[in-house]
């Protein structure tokens, strides 16, 4: 079977078009990755070499006097590992508890029949219009009056005021309006006949949520986890206002404290690399699920 010249020409144009797209994507990827590459490479060099390589391609290559001395310098100046561990703990609690709470709120609004759920969803979405900076001061006053249950020595102690604790960094951010909206959108797309079938088998509302709804909503859970994780990891204003003890500070506030020590640029790059890598690792682990959910879950409408 022979191929006509017209068909061959169309195939060549299609291949050329794909090649141009790939070249453009590779160029865009390299361009957007350059700041991160420069940061990581500079964290391995002494300050004199960073400025010497600044006007050449060597600035993006790990060549020359490369070592981990800048990371050792960071460890000597500030408790960076403690700061990062605090951020990991706070972020994990916000994401983990938030996924359970927000998905159950979305389930109640989407699948259960009760009066006023449309109004409740409207009020939840209205909170997206309020910038956090506008309510930060009233929230500080509010959390300073709330009771705090903590472990002291050999028993629990109930005290007033949640300032200077992990609780004050976690509790105000568990409920997430955008997360609730995405869960409602996703749950609305699941056929309600599955609820009725589960009911016939004797499942309760919680059983329907756990055995029917959750297994069918994996991409949405991954999306909400990522959009919740990024602001939780980057929190700065709130912990700066409510936490004064150094051992409770997250990495973002610790970085501001680190800058005040007049450190070398190599150490600054090392600290920035240390607090950036966890976010990049999580994103690369879940990027396929995240991209899939963007096109298939509640963000579509």
């Amino acid at each position: 079977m022979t191929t006509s010249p017209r068909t061959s020409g169309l195939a060549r144009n299609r291949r050329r078009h794909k090649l141009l797209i790939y070249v453009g994507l590779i160029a865009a990827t390299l361009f957007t990755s350059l700041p991160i590459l420069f940061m990581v490479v500079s964290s391995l060099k002494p300050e004199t070499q960073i400025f010497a390589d600044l006007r050449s391609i060597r600035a993006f290559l790990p060549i020359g006097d490369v070592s981990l001395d800048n990371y050792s310098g960071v460890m000597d100046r500030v408790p960076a590992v403690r700061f990062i561990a605090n951020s990991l703990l706070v972020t994990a609690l916000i994401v983990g508890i938030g996924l359970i709470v927000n998905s159950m709120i979305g389930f109640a609004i989407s699948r259960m029949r009760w009066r006023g759920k449309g109004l409740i969803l409207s009020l939840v979405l209205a909170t997206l219009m309020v910038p956090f900076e506008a309510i930060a001061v009233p929230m500080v006053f509010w959390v300073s009056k709330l009771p705090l249950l903590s472990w002291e020595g050999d028993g629990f102690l109930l005290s007033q005021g949640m300032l200077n604790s992990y609780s004050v960094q976690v509790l105000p951010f568990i409920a997430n309006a955008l997360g609730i909206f995405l869960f409602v959108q996703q749950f609305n797309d699941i056929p309600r006949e599955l609820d009725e079938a589960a009911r016939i088998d004797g499942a309760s509302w919680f059983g329907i949520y756990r055995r029917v709804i959750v297994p069918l909503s994996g991409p949405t859970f991954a999306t909400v986890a990522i959009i919740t994780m990024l602001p939780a990891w980057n929190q700065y204003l709130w912990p700066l206002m409510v936490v004064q003890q150094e051992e409770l500070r997250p990495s973002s506030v610790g970085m501001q404290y680190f800058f005040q020590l007049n450190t070398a640029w190599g150490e600054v790059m090392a600290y920035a690399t240390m607090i950036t890598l966890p976010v990049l690792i999580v994103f690369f682990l879940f990027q396929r699920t995240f991209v899939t959910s963007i096109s298939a879950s509640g963000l579509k409408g």
Side-chain angles (χ1 to χ4, degrees):
M1 181 177 179
T2 59
T3 305
S4 66
R6 178 181 174 82
T7 304
S8 300
L10 289 175
R12 281 197 301 273
N13 290 335
R14 196 175 294 115
R15 286 196 296 271
R16 191 178 299 121
H17 182 67
K18 283 186 177 179
L19 180 62
L20 289 175
I21 291 176
Y22 288 140
V23 171
L25 290 175
I26 292 173
T29 302
L30 291 175
F31 181 75
T32 54
S33 302
L34 285 180
I36 297 177
L37 181 61
F38 175 76
M39 177 184 70
V40 175
V41 171
S42 298
S43 70
L44 303 173
K45 299 178 179 178
E47 185 156 334
T48 53
Q49 189 178 343
I50 292 176
F51 287 101
D53 296 344
L54 205 55
R55 295 179 179 274
S56 68
I57 193 65
R58 294 170 59 90
F60 302 98
L61 300 175
I63 56 178
D65 188 10
V66 175
S67 69
L68 297 176
D69 291 346
N70 290 324
Y71 291 89
S72 302
V74 172
M75 301 293 184
D76 293 338
R77 289 177 180 273
V78 293
V81 175
R82 182 60 183 264
F83 292 156
I84 295 174
N86 289 338
S87 288
L88 287 173
L89 175 63
V90 170
T91 302
L93 290 175
I94 291 176
V95 173
I97 302 175
L99 284 178
I100 298 173
V101 171
N102 294 321
S103 63
M104 295 188 75
I105 295 174
F107 176 82
I109 294 176
S110 172
R111 313 298 286 192
M112 302 176 72
R113 296 178 180 175
W114 47 281
R115 289 185 177 180
K117 64 179 185 179
L119 175 62
I120 294 298
L121 181 60
S122 299
L123 292 175
V124 169
L125 295 178
T127 61
L128 291 172
M129 309 296 177
V130 182
F132 175 75
E133 290 76 7
I135 60 174
V137 174
M139 283 181 63
V140 172
F141 175 78
W142 178 57
V143 297
S144 67
K145 302 299 181 183
L146 289 178
L148 173 66
L149 184 64
S150 58
W151 178 264
E152 295 288 344
D154 55 354
F156 287 100
L157 175 65
L158 185 63
S159 58
Q160 184 180 10
M162 299 179 65
L163 301 179
N164 289 315
S165 66
Y166 289 115
S167 301
V168 76
Q169 301 182 64
V170 174
L171 292 179
F173 303 99
I174 288 178
N176 184 286
L178 181 58
I180 294 172
F181 174 70
L182 292 179
F183 280 123
V184 170
Q185 292 284 90
Q186 167 64 21
F187 297 164
N188 283 338
D189 290 340
I190 298 176
R192 297 184 181 276
E193 288 78 8
L194 296 177
D195 295 8
E196 298 172 1
R199 279 286 187 192
I200 294 173
D201 291 338
S204 62
W205 279 117
F206 184 72
I208 296 173
Y209 162 80
R210 186 171 63 88
R211 298 178 180 177
V212 178
I213 301 300
V214 172
L216 295 174
S217 308
T220 302
F221 274 85
T223 300
V224 175
I226 289 179
I227 64 174
T228 307
M229 184 201 73
L230 291 178
W233 181 264
N234 294 324
Q235 277 195 87
Y236 176 74
L237 177 61
W238 181 251
L240 186 67
M241 296 174 68
V242 299
V243 176
Q244 281 76 46
Q245 296 179 9
E246 183 177 290
E247 62 269 20
L248 296 176
R249 287 173 173 168
S251 59
S252 55
V253 179
M255 188 168 193
Q256 185 264 345
Y257 172 65
F258 182 69
F259 281 166
Q260 295 177 353
L261 302 177
N262 296 320
T263 54
W265 278 108
E267 295 180 350
V268 172
M269 296 297 176
Y271 190 96
T273 302
M274 292 170 65
I275 66 173
T276 303
L277 282 181
V279 180
L280 292 178
I281 292 173
V282 171
F283 178 77
F284 284 123
L285 287 177
F286 294 100
Q287 63 169 334
R288 183 181 295 276
T289 306
F290 178 63
V291 173
T292 302
S293 61
I294 286 295
S295 59
S297 72
L299 285 181
K300 65 184 179 183

